[in-house]
């Protein structure tokens, strides 16, 4: 009888361990899927900018010139504020397409903190902790690149993309 009780106890502990392990794995998968869905949501919301003429029509302006491993930063000044809005990135990144045109490669968020001299923590952006915000002291804003079009071997939220030349 003692052996049977011991075996039942071991089985219960093992089942509880499996259940907790599965819950943790499922939560991790759910979290990953959430940020991936959010990236797809951004890509859908900005898909019209694949046509560079739409950027010009919407009065986006090149605020950087060509930046190695990033491209040209076309800013929508009307979106610049202190708020992260998933479907409204402030900047669209383009690279020359070799035919005299421009090809969209990514989006960038530019969030101005209330006090740029003391920016505090980065904005709450995408679900999870994969989005790595950078505070640009020269401009006084939090920035986040999201490679929605051109795959980035360094990750979808990496600042630089080695696939874009110097």
């Amino acid at each position: 009888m003692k052996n049977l009780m011991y075996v039942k106890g071991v089985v219960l502990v093992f089942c509880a361990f499996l259940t907790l392990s599965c819950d943790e794995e499922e939560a991790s998968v759910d979290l990953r899927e959430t940020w991936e869905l959010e990236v797809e949501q951004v890509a859908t919301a900005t898909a019209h900018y694949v046509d560079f003429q739409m950027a010009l029509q919407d009065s986006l302006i090149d605020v950087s010139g060509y930046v190695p491993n990033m491209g040209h930063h076309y800013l929508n000044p009307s979106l610049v504020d202190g708020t992260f809005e998933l479907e409204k990135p402030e900047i669209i990144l383009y690279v020359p397409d070799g035919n005299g045109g421009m090809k969209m490669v990514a989006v960038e968020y530019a969030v101005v903190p209330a006090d740029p001299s003391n920016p505090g923590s980065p904005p709450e952006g995408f679900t999870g902790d994969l989005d790595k915000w950078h505070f640009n002291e020269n401009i006084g804003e939090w920035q986040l690149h999201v490679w929605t079009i051109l795959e980035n071997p360094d990750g979808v939220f990496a600042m630089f993309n080695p696939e874009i030349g110097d």
Side-chain angles (χ1 to χ4, degrees), residues 73-93:
H73 293 70
Y74 277 80
L75 173 72
N76 184 337
S78 69
L79 295 178
V80 177
D81 57 22
T83 306
F84 170 82
E85 294 178 82
L86 184 69
E87 293 185 359
K88 296 179 181 179
E90 290 79 3
I91 299 170
I92 308 294
L93 278 76

Side-chain angles (χ1 to χ4, degrees), residues 44-64:
T44 299
T46 59
H48 59 287
Y49 288 122
V50 169
D51 178 355
F52 182 64
Q53 293 306 309
M54 292 302 297
L56 298 177
Q57 181 179 319
D58 286 353
S59 301
L60 274 63
I61 53 175
D62 187 353
V63 293
S64 68

Side-chain angles (χ1 to χ4, degrees), residues 85-156:
E85 294 178 82
L86 184 69
E87 293 185 359
K88 296 179 181 179
E90 290 79 3
I91 299 170
I92 308 294
L93 278 76
Y94 290 95
V95 295
D97 67 5
N99 297 318
M102 297 291 264
K103 175 183 169 187
M104 180 182 172
V105 293
V107 302
E108 181 178 344
Y109 294 91
V111 177
V112 180
D115 180 2
S117 64
N118 184 17
S121 299
E124 289 292 326
F126 289 77
T127 300
D129 60 359
L130 295 177
D131 57 339
K132 302 297 181 201
W133 290 81
H134 164 75
F135 187 74
N136 185 325
E137 293 178 7
N138 296 328
I139 307 172
E141 66 187 18
W142 286 103
Q143 299 175 333
L144 174 68
H145 291 80
V146 184
W147 299 93
T148 55
I149 305 291
L150 180 64
E151 187 172 334
N152 187 339
D154 293 341
V156 71

